[in-house]
Structures are given as structure tokens and as C-alpha cells.
Amino acid sequence: MLLDTYGRQAVDLRVSLTDRCNLRCTYCMPEEGLQWLGKSDLLTDEEIVRLVSLAVRELGVREVRFTGGEPLLRPGLVGIVAACAALEPRPELSLTTNGIGLARTATALKAAGLDRVNVSLDTLDPELFHTLTRRHRHHDVLDGLAAAEAAGLTPVKLNAVLMRGVNEHEAPALLGWCLERGYQLRFIEQMPLDAQHGWDRSQMVTAEEILERLRTRFELTPEPSSVRGAAPAERWLVDGGPATVGVIASVTRPFCRACDRTRLTADGQVRNCLFATGETDLRTALRDGSGDAELAALWRAAMWGKKAGAGIDDPDFLQPDRPMSAIGG
């Protein structure tokens, strides 16, 4: 098992497959992009599968989510999914993506064993999408969502970040649009994980503000806290249900006490928290010939040192040097 000193067990593994992305979202990276990892720095497909297998067979991981960067840019993605789907016990497999390229890969990913997808979309306005992402790819995301639904990668979940003075007014429209199509919407508070280190809490649209805007059009009833478990999203029934909307309030309502996640970066580093300032290097040990027992020991030690919380409100909080694209969402 992957335990920490507070009694939390990590059963949910987030695996970043690449730090590269085909969008340039303003809250994530500069327009010119970043210095990407070199090919030799990245874990190979076989190394990823070995570490996921170790986590599932020896360390108690039950859910695996592939992230990036943009994981659809990983050439070996379908093969990685298929190999992980063949593991015993079989983990639940999901993918977080910007949706670009999903229209041409959804069927193959489903056949390989992927269970569902989370797609990021912050606006229904194509021009605003271009302003936010610096790319004219809005139609590709919509096509990807439809393809995921058609392929059976369900429930299709949609993630949206609202920014003050930019797209916060779209909250009710986004929810209405998702309800019409059967997508499950999750709003995410903007977090201090941008490459520019320009995050400003005063400019963040809070969970309370999101809910206030949604209530101008919908009746929201909170789900019982017992239903949430370790899920990062608080959920509300919309107009009596059964449809729901979620808010991931990592900043104003942190859920660290119930955190069950461990993270593996594209270059083989274990992170015990999204906001951790340190990492444990599995790649070097892996390539030096370490056996599964040695790798498992390193991973357990990394998780044992996990802090009680992310500490965003602490006076000495330091934003991680590595941006979201390198860490994995």
C-alpha cells in the first residue's frame, strides 16, 4: 500500500505521458510555449507500463488516469492503455484531455480498454476559445466530445476553469449545454500552477461565486457528504436531479484530508501532491536495474512523507517550480 503518516492511502494514480501540449492556455503557459523534455528524459512506453503494473499489483492502486500536457500527443497511447487494461487486478482507466484529436482516437481507445474521458473546455464561444488557448481549435474539441460519447467513453466529463472578467458569465450556459448532451460538468478553481507564476488569488473565481451564478438559472441541492468519498468535486443535484454539477474548490475548500492520489510525471518522478516542491526519482532507479521491491520501497517512502495539506493559505507557501504541463493534471 501507499500510506502516509496521516493514514491516507493512495489508490488513484495520475500518470503524465508527455509535457507537450497543442494549446497555449493563458492560465497554464506562455504563448511561445515551454522548453519541452527531451526524448531520453521521458519514460518509454514499456517503463510506464512497468511502473503502472507495479502500482496496481504491489501498491494497491485501483484507478489510473492518463494526463499531460496533452496525452493524445503520445504516439504509443493506445498500446499503453491496452497493456494497462490487461493487468490483474484490472484498474479503472481514464484520460484527461483537451479533446483535440479525440475524434480520431476515441474508438481505438475504447477498444484498447479505456473506460472514460475528462475533456477540458472553458467556453462555448469559438472566438473566446481562441483568446484563451491562442488556437482556433474549438470545433475539434466539440467533435472530440461527441466522438467520446459515441464510442462509449462514458460518462463524458467536462472540466471548465472560470476567469474573472473573461468567461465567468458563461457558467449557467455551460451547465445548460452539458445537461442537454448528458455530459457531467465540473468547474475547477484556478490554481497556482501556471508556468508564468502569475496566479493571483484575488482574480480567481471562487466556488461560492460559481454557485451563485449557477443559481440564477438552476436549483442546486447538495449531495450528502457521504456520497463524495475521496472525490475532489463537491456535487450538487441540478433541479432535483438526477443530473449533477460539480465544483473542485482546491483553493477555497481544499480536500486534502481525503486525498487518495499519487502522481507520476512524464520523466518518471513521483509526486505525492500536486503542489509538492520535491519529487522522488524512479526513472534513474528503473534504468539502473532496480527490481520491483526497490522501486516499490522508493514509492512508499515518497508517499510516507506527504504533508497534511497543500498549504496554499500558509504564509510560506511556494508555488511548484514545475508547471501543470510537466506535473500532470
Side-chain angles (χ1 to χ4, degrees), residues 125-142:
D125 182 343
E127 289 307 313
L128 184 54
F129 180 90
H130 174 251
T131 299
L132 288 170
T133 67
R134 306 182 176 103
R135 298 291 186 271
H136 286 292
R137 305 299 298 271
H138 190 260
H139 64 286
D140 291 318
V141 181
L142 300 191

Side-chain angles (χ1 to χ4, degrees), residues 227-244:
V227 175
R228 181 181 183 184
E234 293 181 82
R235 298 198 308 178
W236 282 260
L237 296 173
V238 180
D239 293 338
T244 63

